[in-house]
C-alpha cells in the first residue's frame, strides 16, 4: 500500500533558519578568534587579510541570517492567518456537518411523528365511530396513549442527541476516549448505516489510553472520516471498519472502507481545502482539510492508505494522554 | 366492487398496526409486514393490489424490495413511504416503477386517495393485458 504524508514546509523553514543562525554565530566567533590571534601574532599581514576576508564573509552571513529571521516572521504571520482561516472554516463547517446529519435526524424524528400521527388519527376515528365510550374504544385510547408517550420519549432522545452534538464541551481541552467517541459517531449515523449493504466491524482496543483534545472538534474529525467512508461505499455497499490501537506514545484510530479507493492522481489533493470529488451541493471539500488541521494542532497527524479498487484507510494518530488517576471503586 | 387488497411494509411495527386498523375501518383489506423479506413472502403467497412500502429499512431496503416486487408481480402498484424528502430515493423509486411517493407523517386522506388511484391504475393495466391477449 502506498503511504501519503503531509509535507510540513513551515516547520522545515523554521528549523533551517535556526540552524543557519547558529552556524553564523559560530562563524562570527571564529573570526573574532582569528582577529585576536592576528593581533597577538604581530605583523603577519596575511593573517590580517585572511581575517578581513572572513570578516567580510561573516557580514554577508549575518545579513543572510537576518533575512532568514524576516522570512521566519513572515511564515509565522502566515501561519497565524492560516489558523484564523481554519478557525473560521471550522465554525462554518459546524453548520455543514449539522447539515450532513440533518437528513438522518429528519428521518429519525419523522418515524415517531408518523406513529403519533396515526395514534391520534385512530383516537379521532374511534371518537367519530359508533361507540366512542364503549369498553373496546376505552382500551384502545389507553393503548394509544401509552404508545404516544413512548414515541415522545423516543423523539426527546433524538433531540437530546442533537443538542449534545452541538453543545457538549465547547471550548476546553479534555480527556477524550476515542472508543466512546467512535461508538457515538456510529449511533449518530445509525440510519445511514441501517439502510442496507453496509456492515460494520469494530476492532476497538479496550485498554486504549485517552487523548487530550476539544471534544466537538474531534467529533467533527471522526464524523467527516466516517461519512466519507460511507459515501465511498454508497453505491456498492461494503464493510466499514472502526479500529483503535495503542502504539507507544500514540493512539491510533482507523476508519477503513472497502470502497473504490483514492485514484493516485488525486491522492495529493485530498487534504487541500475545497477539494472534493462529490457533486456540488453534496460536499464542500473542507472536511478532510479541517480534520487534518484539528489533528495537527493536537500534535497528531492523519495518514492515508489507499489502493485503487480496494478501499481506503484513514488513520488518526494522536498523542496518548497519561490516564487520569484511577478512581477508587466506591463499592 | 371488491375491497382493495393492501400490504403495508415498514420496520416500525406500531405504525403498520395502527395504519392497518385505520385503513381497515375504511373498507380496505389490509395486511402488514415489518420487513422487506416478510413482505416478499406474503406477495408470493397471495394476491395484493397495492403495497405501501417504506424506503429505509434495515436489511433489505425499500428500493431493493421495490425491484423484487416488480419482478415478482409487475402489475402490483407500489406507493413508497419515506421519512425524509430524499430526492434521489424518490427519483430512483419512480424509475423502478413506483406509482407514488408519500412523506411521513402521513395524511390519511392522501394515503387513501393515492391507494385508490394506484388500484385504478392496476385495474386498467390488467384490462389492457387481458385485451392484448
Amino acid at each position: 500500500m502506498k503511504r501519503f504524508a503531509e509535507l510540513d514546509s513551515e516547520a522545515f523553514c523554521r528549523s533551517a533558519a535556526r540552524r543557519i543562525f547558529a552556524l553564523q554565530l559560530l562563524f562570527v566567533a571564529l573570526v573574532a578568534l582569528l582577529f585576536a590571534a592576528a593581533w597577538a601574532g604581530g605583523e603577519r599581514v596575511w593573517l590580517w587579510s585572511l581575517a578581513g576576508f572572513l570578516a567580510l564573509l561573516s557580514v554577508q552571513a549575518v545579513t543572510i541570517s537576518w533575512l532568514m529571521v524576516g522570512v521566519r516572521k513572515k511564515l509565522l504571520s502566515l501561519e497565524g492567518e492560516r489558523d484564523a482561516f481554519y478557525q473560521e472554516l471550522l465554525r462554518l463547517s459546524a453548520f455543514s456537518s449539522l447539515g450532513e446529519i440533518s437528513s438522518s435526524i429528519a428521518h429519525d424524528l419523522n418515524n415517531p411523528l408518523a406513529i403519533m400521527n396515526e395514534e391520534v388519527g385512530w383516537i379521532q376515528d374511534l371518537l367519530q365511530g359508533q361507540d366512542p365510550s364503549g369498553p373496546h374504544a376505552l382500551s384502545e385510547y389507553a393503548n394509544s396513549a401509552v404508545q404516544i408517550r413512548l414515541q415522545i420519549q423516543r423523539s426527546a432522545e433524538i433531540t437530546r442527541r442533537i443538542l449534545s452534538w452541538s453543545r457538549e464541551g465547547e471550548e476546553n481541552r479534555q480527556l477524550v476516549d476515542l472508543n466512546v467517541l467512535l461508538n457515538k459517531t456510529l449511533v449518530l449515523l445509525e440510519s445511514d448505516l441501517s439502510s442496507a449493504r453496509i456492515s460494520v466491524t469494530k476492532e476497538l482496543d479496550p485498554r486504549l489510553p485517552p487523548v487530550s483534545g476539544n471534544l466537538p472538534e474531534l467529533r467533527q474529525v471522526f464524523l467527516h472520516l466516517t461519512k466519507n467512508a460511507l459515501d465511498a461505499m454508497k453505491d456498492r455497499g461494503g464493510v466499514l471498519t472502526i479500529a483503535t490501537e495503542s502504539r507507544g506514545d500514540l493512539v491510533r484510530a482507523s476508519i477503513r472502507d472497502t470502497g473504490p479507493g483514492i485514484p493516485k492522481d488525486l491522492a495529493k489533493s485530498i487534504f487541500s481545502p475545497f477539494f472534493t470529488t462529490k457533486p456540488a451541493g453534496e460536499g464542500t471539500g473542507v472536511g478532510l482539510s479541517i480534520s487534518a488541521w484539528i489533528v495537527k494542532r493536537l500534535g497528531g497527524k492523519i495518514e492515508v492508505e489507499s489502493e485503487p479498487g480496494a478501499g481506503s484507510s484513514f488513520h488518526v494518530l494522536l498523542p496518548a494522554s497519561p490516564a487520569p488517576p484511577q478512581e477508587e471503586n466506591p463499592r | 366492487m371488491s375491497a382493495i387488497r393492501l400490504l403495508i411494509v415498514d420496520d416500525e411495527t406500531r405504525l403498520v398496526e395502527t395504519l392497518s386498523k385505520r385503513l381497515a375501518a375504511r373498507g380496505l383489506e389490509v395486511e402488514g409486514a415489518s420487513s422487506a423479506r416478510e413482505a416478499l413472502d406474503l406477495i408470493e403467497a397471495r394476491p395484493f393490489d397495492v403495497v405501501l412500502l417504506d424506503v429505509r429499512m434495515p436489511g433489505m431496503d425499500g428500493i431493493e424490495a421495490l425491484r423484487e416486487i416488480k419482478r415478482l408481480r409487475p402489475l402490483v402498484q407500489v406507493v413508497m413511504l419515506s421519512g425524509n424528502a430524499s430526492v434521489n430515493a424518490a427519483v430512483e423509486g419512480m424509475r423502478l416503477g413506483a406509482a407514488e411517493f408519500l412523506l411521513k407523517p402521513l395524511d390519511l386522506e392522501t394515503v387513501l386517495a393515492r391507494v385508490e388511484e394506484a388500484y385504478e391504475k392496476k385495474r386498467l393495466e390488467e384490462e389492457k393485458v387481458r385485451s392484448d391477449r
Side-chain angles (χ1 to χ4, degrees):
Chain A
M1 288 234 176
K2 203 172 168 184
R3 185 160 284 200
F4 313 110
E6 201 188 343
L7 178 70
D8 193 340
S9 51
E10 286 93 323
F12 169 74
C13 279
R14 245 175 293 148
S15 80
R18 220 173 295 139
R19 241 172 277 163
I20 290 175
F21 197 71
L23 266 175
Q24 296 326 311
L25 281 180
L26 198 75
F27 216 76
V28 169
L30 262 173
V31 167
L33 246 155
L34 272 172
F35 264 112
W39 187 261
E43 290 167 32
R44 293 198 200 139
V45 183
W46 65 270
L47 237 160
W48 278 102
S49 51
L50 179 66
F53 174 68
L54 286 173
L56 207 71
L57 271 183
S58 68
V59 166
Q60 281 181 335
V62 166
T63 316
I64 289 171
S65 55
W66 177 74
L67 281 173
M68 286 301 283
V69 168
V71 168
R72 186 182 160 230
K73 253 189 207 151
K74 181 74 192 163
L75 278 172
L76 280 175
S77 86
L78 277 177
E79 196 175 327
E81 272 172 40
R82 192 192 58 174
D83 275 353
F85 166 75
Y86 272 110
Q87 291 281 13
E88 183 63 13
L89 212 55
L90 186 66
R91 210 176 55 76
L92 292 173
S93 85
F95 290 105
S96 90
S97 66
L98 194 62
E100 277 169 25
I101 58 169
S102 68
S103 81
S104 184
I105 295 166
H107 182 265
D108 287 355
L109 262 180
N110 273 334
N111 270 326
L113 283 177
I115 293 175
M116 288 190 269
N117 186 50
E118 294 315 316
E119 297 304 327
V120 171
W122 177 232
I123 292 171
Q124 285 172 329
D125 285 358
L126 290 168
L127 285 171
Q128 285 158 13
Q130 294 183 336
D131 192 8
S133 52
H136 170 71
L138 288 180
S139 85
E140 287 291 303
Y141 298 147
N143 199 332
S144 286
V146 169
Q147 192 55 228
I148 290 170
R149 165 142 309 153
L150 209 69
Q151 299 303 327
I152 290 173
Q153 281 164 358
R154 187 176 158 195
S155 311
E157 201 53 53
I158 296 165
T159 51
R160 244 193 304 277
R161 219 162 73 198
I162 307 165
L163 285 180
S164 78
W165 168 264
S166 54
R167 275 197 204 138
E168 211 174 282
E170 254 164 6
E171 280 146 35
N172 302 326
R173 274 202 181 197
Q174 62 201 92
L175 290 180
V176 179
D177 182 342
L178 291 186
N179 287 342
V180 173
L181 182 58
L182 282 167
N183 275 321
K184 276 195 178 169
T185 309
L186 289 182
V187 170
L188 204 72
L189 294 170
E190 207 169 38
S191 58
D192 283 338
L193 287 167
S194 70
S195 63
R197 294 182 302 236
I198 291 176
S199 60
V200 182
T201 312
K202 289 186 202 170
E203 296 163 10
L204 303 179
D205 179 355
R207 304 172 66 112
L208 197 73
V211 299
S212 161
N214 174 294
L215 187 57
E217 287 183 11
L218 280 174
R219 236 174 353 209
Q220 273 212 41
V221 171
F222 290 103
L223 182 76
H224 282 308
L225 294 180
T226 315
K227 258 289 202 191
N228 276 350
L230 291 181
D231 286 344
M233 301 186 286
K234 201 165 57 181
D235 296 330
R236 290 184 302 165
V239 183
L240 174 74
T241 309
I242 305 285
T244 53
E245 184 185 351
S246 179
R247 299 192 139 197
D249 296 343
L250 294 175
V251 169
R252 190 171 95 155
S254 310
I255 316 277
R256 256 198 306 281
D257 66 64
T258 55
I262 302 162
K264 286 212 164 74
D265 53 326
L266 300 184
K268 280 190 193 120
S269 325
I270 58 170
F271 286 106
S272 315
F274 308 117
F275 174 82
T276 181
T277 55
K278 294 174 190 167
E282 278 183 40
T284 52
V286 299
L288 266 185
S289 62
I290 290 185
S291 300
W293 176 76
I294 291 171
V295 171
K296 195 174 148 192
R297 251 188 357 161
L298 297 175
K301 62 179 172 180
I302 300 183
E303 288 180 349
V304 187
E305 285 177 64
S306 186
E307 186 69 55
S312 313
S313 302
F314 283 79
H315 307 289
V316 177
L317 289 142
L318 286 165
S321 264
Q326 286 286 315
E327 277 175 44
E328 289 295 319
N329 204 333
R331 253 166 278 162
Chain B
M1 192 177 95
S2 65
I4 300 173
R5 291 161 301 184
L6 179 73
L7 176 63
I8 306 176
V9 192
D10 197 314
D11 57 314
E12 299 283 347
T13 46
R14 181 68 192 195
L15 183 75
V16 174
E17 267 173 48
T18 312
L19 195 57
S20 300
K21 281 191 280 190
R22 299 190 70 200
L23 290 170
R26 284 164 176 77
L28 276 70
E29 213 173 90
V30 192
E31 286 263 5
S34 60
S35 73
R37 247 312 120 232
E38 198 186 332
L40 289 172
D41 288 346
L42 277 170
I43 288 170
E44 271 190 302
R46 67 186 94 137
F48 287 98
D49 299 312
V50 183
V51 179
L52 286 182
L53 180 64
D54 188 29
V55 172
R56 223 157 173 174
M57 290 184 288
M60 185 192 279
D61 67 10
I63 295 292
E64 240 178 296
L66 169 66
R67 205 177 278 138
E68 270 304 291
I69 293 170
K70 281 289 168 186
R71 196 179 62 81
L72 286 170
R73 302 273 185 273
L75 289 180
V76 167
Q77 297 298 310
V78 180
V79 176
M80 306 292 288
L81 308 177
S82 172
N84 63 354
S86 156
V87 181
N88 289 346
V91 168
E92 180 73 357
M94 290 307 184
R95 198 179 63 79
L96 291 170
E100 262 301 337
F101 204 92
L102 293 176
L103 271 183
K104 287 189 205 171
L106 303 163
D107 171 50
L108 201 71
E109 295 314 311
T110 314
V111 175
L112 271 173
R114 295 293 167 268
V115 168
E116 270 159 27
E117 279 166 25
Y119 176 68
E120 208 46 42
K121 194 171 160 202
K122 186 195 175 227
R123 233 171 37 83
L124 288 174
E125 280 180 20
E126 271 171 347
E127 253 167 44
K128 190 164 167 292
V129 171
R130 224 169 290 142
S131 66
D132 282 351
R133 277 194 190 139

